[in-house]
Amino acid sequence: MDKVLSFHQGRLPLLISMPHAGLGLTDAVRDGLVDQARSLPDTDWHIPRLYDFARDLGASVVTAEYSRFVIDLNRPDDDKPLYAGATTGLYPATLFEGEPLFKDGLEPTGEQRKQYLEQIWRPYHDTIRNELERLREHFGYALLWDAHSIRSLIPHLFDGKLPDFNLGTFNGASCDPELAQRLEGVCAAAQGYSHVLNGRFKGGHITRHYGDPSNHIHAVQLELAQSTYMEEHAPYLYRQDLAQPTQAVLRALLQALLDWGRARYVQ
């Protein structure tokens, strides 16, 4: 495998995870994709650019290099479904719109997928686990922000237009409720944006697995509507005019996260 992730170690008790930003494909996946999948439409486009302020803020950042079409880093390794209804699995078989992802008979083999699990999925999760352990040991607590984005209109997955900011805390299990309330307050104060807490997106495997408030690890997923910062269809152009005000809200959310941690844990 080529480089499977990028990691920057920061100076604050915050790790930002970007599991669906990767564009890399293995030969087997590239050769098998249907034509409409070749533009990688289900990517969390431009997330590293949207969060380009995070390093200066002092956060640690881990970013996937391979596409979710190879293996989905936000699914459990046993591939148990996370959501009722339409969803995608550890090894996606369909596009978000429900069409097959691969041409008949051209899916990666079981042996190839085992390799993806060991050489792509596990290193990413090892990095998350090790960094959270380091942060908790050093600061006494750790904050995890799982950064995602998605098209605002996908009838196969959800009804109507998605809210702009979709916060997920696994129905309150992955972080302190006071923290979730504070983040909701930031979204409510952001004029011109809509938001929801634990709506269609309650947090995937990363949020659910690593969020452990009783052991001082607080995890939140943000599923951001792509209409807030980019063109939602190919060629998926980044829109600076849209992105700049959205970045201001993201900064406020991460600052609220950090401020809550200091108030809660630092005497």
Side-chain angles (χ1 to χ4, degrees):
M1 287 290 175
D2 297 326
K3 180 181 179 184
V4 300
L5 61 86
S6 297
F7 176 65
H8 166 79
Q9 189 172 94
R11 53 182 171 79
L12 295 176
L14 170 61
L15 171 63
I16 300 175
S17 161
M18 303 178 183
H20 292 156
L23 300 175
L25 298 172
T26 64
D27 289 344
V29 171
R30 182 183 297 106
D31 293 345
L33 289 177
V34 297
D35 290 344
Q36 58 266 43
R38 294 192 177 279
S39 65
L40 308 184
D42 299 345
T43 301
D44 290 13
W45 288 100
H46 308 298
I47 285 292
R49 181 176 180 181
L50 193 65
Y51 284 86
D52 62 5
F53 61 88
R55 292 189 182 193
D56 290 341
L57 187 67
S60 297
V61 182
V62 58
T63 307
E65 295 291 338
Y66 275 87
S67 169
R68 67 187 301 161
F69 288 170
V70 177
I71 189 168
D72 192 330
L73 302 177
N74 201 28
R75 298 293 184 268
D77 59 359
D78 61 8
D79 203 16
K80 288 184 179 177
L82 295 178
Y83 292 100
T87 187
T88 55
L90 180 65
Y91 304 107
T94 62
L95 292 161
F96 283 170
E97 299 289 0
E99 298 95 343
L101 182 59
F102 293 102
K103 300 170 185 174
D104 282 347
L106 291 183
E107 301 88 352
T109 66
E111 189 60 33
Q112 287 167 329
R113 285 176 165 170
K114 181 179 178 182
Q115 181 185 23
Y116 304 160
L117 181 68
E118 295 301 322
Q119 298 186 17
I120 301 175
W121 191 97
R122 295 207 187 283
Y124 193 88
H125 284 270
D126 287 346
T127 301
I128 291 178
R129 183 180 62 256
N130 292 340
E131 181 62 3
L132 290 176
E133 289 177 356
R134 184 190 74 85
L135 293 175
R136 185 172 59 176
E137 182 176 347
H138 183 75
F139 294 99
Y141 67 103
L143 306 169
L144 173 61
W145 184 265
D146 205 36
H148 296 260
S149 74
I150 193 169
R151 295 193 306 279
S152 60
L153 291 167
I154 306 180
H156 184 66
L157 295 184
F158 49 82
D159 295 330
K161 189 174 189 292
L162 196 68
D164 298 320
F165 287 82
N166 299 266
L167 297 166
T169 65
F170 194 27
N171 292 326
S174 69
C175 80
D176 188 285
E178 182 184 333
L179 171 56
Q181 184 178 25
R182 185 171 297 197
L183 295 173
E184 267 207 291
V186 172
C187 291
Q191 293 187 0
Y193 294 97
S194 57
H195 76 279
V196 68
L197 174 65
N198 293 316
R200 171 60 177 84
F201 297 98
K202 304 177 188 300
H205 175 67
I206 290 171
T207 304
R208 302 180 191 200
H209 182 72
Y210 295 102
D212 188 1
S214 64
N215 285 307
H216 315 300
I217 298 177
H218 302 269
V220 178
Q221 175 179 296
L222 176 63
E223 190 77 63
L224 183 66
Q226 290 177 344
S227 56
T228 63
Y229 71 94
M230 61 172 280
E231 297 291 345
E232 295 190 294
H233 301 284
Y236 311 112
L237 297 177
Y238 189 83
R239 288 273 305 274
Q240 183 62 32
D241 59 319
L242 298 175
Q244 188 170 355
T246 299
Q247 282 183 310
V249 182
L250 293 175
R251 281 179 178 268
L253 285 166
L254 295 183
Q255 193 60 58
L257 188 70
L258 291 165
D259 290 346
W260 177 86
R262 280 192 287 266
R264 171 70 173 78
Y265 289 102
V266 179
Q267 303 301 320

